[in-house]
């Protein structure tokens, strides 16, 4: 569908069209459209801009990824369609791999997404093979299927738009989890090490910039950033912001 750039919801409609394109190409699941709808509702309440609490989380997430010995980026059918190019830039800056991991798992979608990512860059993808998989205990969904030389060994994972089970299992296994989630109340948001409460389409380009800026910083500087961070406090700030927005709307009787 051609969207009129003058439309007041142009940016949001463009994202929807991109996801519909993802479904047609076999990358995004139908359920991914619904998941995006939930995100959109929170984005509306967050003012559809990157807030200060998200910037702080992005800076901390970048520091964790730079401090990591084995960082990895885990992508699903929504994330890859919305910010595929940013993941490639990030993987290059961090010298790490991208692994496809799906909730609505089908082999066909894994292969299609890997092929899409390889068309953007042939070197950044860790591909699924019969012999390199391992199942993660404590995860009931098909998200438990991971790659031995990828998510299994990683010490720090960037997992945007994640589901709660696997996030909990990662944290339980001692991994640092950096996520992007518009819903500050989701289980993932609540259990991750760092939760970037922002739309992935805005947050990822800023994360790329932050990593490229901080990668010249000393280990001590990065450690100071992560040690001064409190994820619970960041989530409280996000909820307070939503609360303020709603109070302002209510007082205007909109
Ligand atoms: O491709 P698959 O099969 O792995 O499926 C991917 C989805 C996202 C459908 C799957 O992981 C899923 O069902 O996720 P959930 O449990 O609905 O969680 C998705 C979270 O991402 C929700 O808390 C949404 O609010 C949030 N979200 C949705 N769109 C965005 C978002 N957060 C940031 N940016 C978005 N654009």
């Amino acid at each position: 569908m051609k969207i009129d750039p003058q439309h007041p919801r142009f940016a949001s409609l463009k994202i929807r069209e991109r996801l519909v394109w993802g479904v047609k190409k076999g990358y995004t699941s139908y359920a991914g459209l619904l998941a995006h709808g939930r995100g959109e509702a929170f984005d509306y309440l967050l003012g559809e801009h990157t807030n200060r609490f998200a910037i702080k989380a992005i800076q901390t997430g970048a520091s964790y990824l730079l401090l990591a010995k084995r960082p990895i980026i885990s992508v699903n059918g929504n994330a890859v369609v919305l910010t595929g190019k940013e993941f490639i830039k990030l993987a290059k800056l961090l010298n790490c791999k991208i692994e496809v991991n799906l909730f609505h798992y089908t082999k066909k979608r894994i292969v299609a997404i890997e092929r899409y990512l390889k068309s953007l860059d042939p070197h950044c993808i860790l591909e699924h093979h019969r012999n390199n998989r391992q199942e993660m205990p404590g995860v009931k969904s098909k998200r438990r299927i991971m790659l031995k030389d990828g998510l299994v060994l990683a010490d720090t994972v960037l997992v945007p738009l994640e589901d709660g089970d696997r996030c909990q299992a990662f944290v339980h296994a001692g991994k640092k989890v950096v996520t992007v989630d518009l819903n500050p109340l989701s289980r993932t948001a609540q259990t991750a090490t760092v939760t970037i409460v922002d739309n992935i389409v805005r947050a990822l380009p800023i994360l790329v910039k932050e990593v490229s800026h901080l990668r010249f910083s000393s280990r001590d500087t990065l450690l100071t950033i992560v040690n001064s961070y409190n994820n619970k406090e960041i989530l409280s700030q996000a909820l307070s912001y939503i609360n303020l927005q709603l109070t302002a709307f209510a007082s205007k009787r909109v």
Side-chain angles (χ1 to χ4, degrees):
M1 188 180 104
K2 185 135 179 55
I3 302 160
D4 177 3
Q6 303 306 320
H7 192 289
R9 306 287 307 152
F10 177 71
S12 162
L13 291 175
K14 283 276 283 185
I15 298 175
R16 287 186 184 180
E17 279 306 302
R18 181 76 185 161
L19 287 165
V20 169
W21 172 82
V23 171
K24 284 183 187 152
K25 298 294 279 185
Y27 309 145
T28 309
S29 68
Y30 287 115
L33 301 177
L34 303 174
H36 182 72
R38 176 158 52 190
E40 264 190 347
F42 278 98
D43 205 11
Y44 201 79
L45 298 175
L46 286 159
E48 294 178 308
H49 57 253
T50 303
N51 287 285
R52 253 188 305 174
F53 46 81
I55 295 285
K56 174 89 180 150
I58 290 171
Q59 192 194 39
T60 309
S63 303
Y64 268 117
L65 289 163
L66 287 163
L67 282 167
K69 288 204 174 77
R70 289 189 75 110
I72 190 145
I73 302 170
S74 172
V75 296
N76 62 33
N78 283 49
V80 86
V81 158
L82 294 178
T83 49
K85 288 183 184 148
E86 270 68 32
F87 290 124
I88 301 286
K89 286 184 201 161
L90 211 48
K92 284 184 172 164
L93 284 167
L94 294 166
N95 193 23
C96 76
K97 296 286 183 193
I98 302 172
E99 176 172 335
V100 183
N101 180 281
L102 301 180
F103 185 75
H104 306 280
Y105 177 96
T106 65
K107 257 191 203 158
K108 205 172 155 191
R109 275 182 70 223
I110 294 266
V111 171
I113 295 172
E114 285 180 348
R115 216 172 269 158
Y116 169 62
L117 285 168
K118 277 198 285 179
S119 75
L120 300 177
D121 184 283
H123 306 294
C124 295
I125 321 306
L126 201 57
E127 283 182 81
H128 284 243
H129 299 293
R130 197 172 298 164
N131 300 328
N132 67 348
R133 295 155 184 245
Q134 190 170 312
E135 299 201 352
M136 182 165 206
V139 184
K140 289 197 191 82
S141 76
K142 286 281 177 89
R143 272 197 185 269
R144 67 179 179 272
I145 304 168
M146 294 172 207
L147 303 184
K148 286 179 191 161
D149 41 354
L151 281 161
V152 173
L153 284 183
D155 58 355
T156 304
V157 289
L158 173 65
V159 282
L161 284 58
E162 174 66 332
D163 73 283
D165 271 7
R166 197 174 65 135
C167 183
Q168 265 170 345
F170 278 150
V171 171
H172 192 68
K175 299 181 197 294
K176 303 291 179 206
V177 179
V178 181
T179 193
V180 183
D181 195 327
L182 278 161
N183 177 4
L185 295 169
S186 78
R187 266 192 313 146
T188 299
Q190 297 282 330
T191 35
T193 317
V194 177
T195 306
I196 301 165
V197 184
D198 196 14
N199 198 318
I200 191 171
V201 298
R202 291 190 301 267
L204 256 287
I206 305 174
L207 182 61
V208 171
K209 270 195 207 140
E210 201 58 35
V211 167
S212 61
H213 165 68
L214 282 174
R215 79 196 151 121
F216 301 111
S217 302
S218 67
R219 200 180 147 74
D220 280 354
T221 305
L222 298 176
L223 283 172
T224 305
I225 293 172
V226 303
N227 289 336
S228 68
Y229 181 81
N230 181 334
N231 206 46
K232 291 279 175 229
E233 173 58 31
I234 289 295
L235 293 172
S236 286
Q237 288 177 15
L239 288 168
S240 298
Y241 186 80
I242 289 175
N243 196 15
L244 272 176
Q245 289 266 96
L246 286 171
T247 308
F249 287 142
S251 65
K252 278 192 254 163
R253 292 172 188 261
V254 287

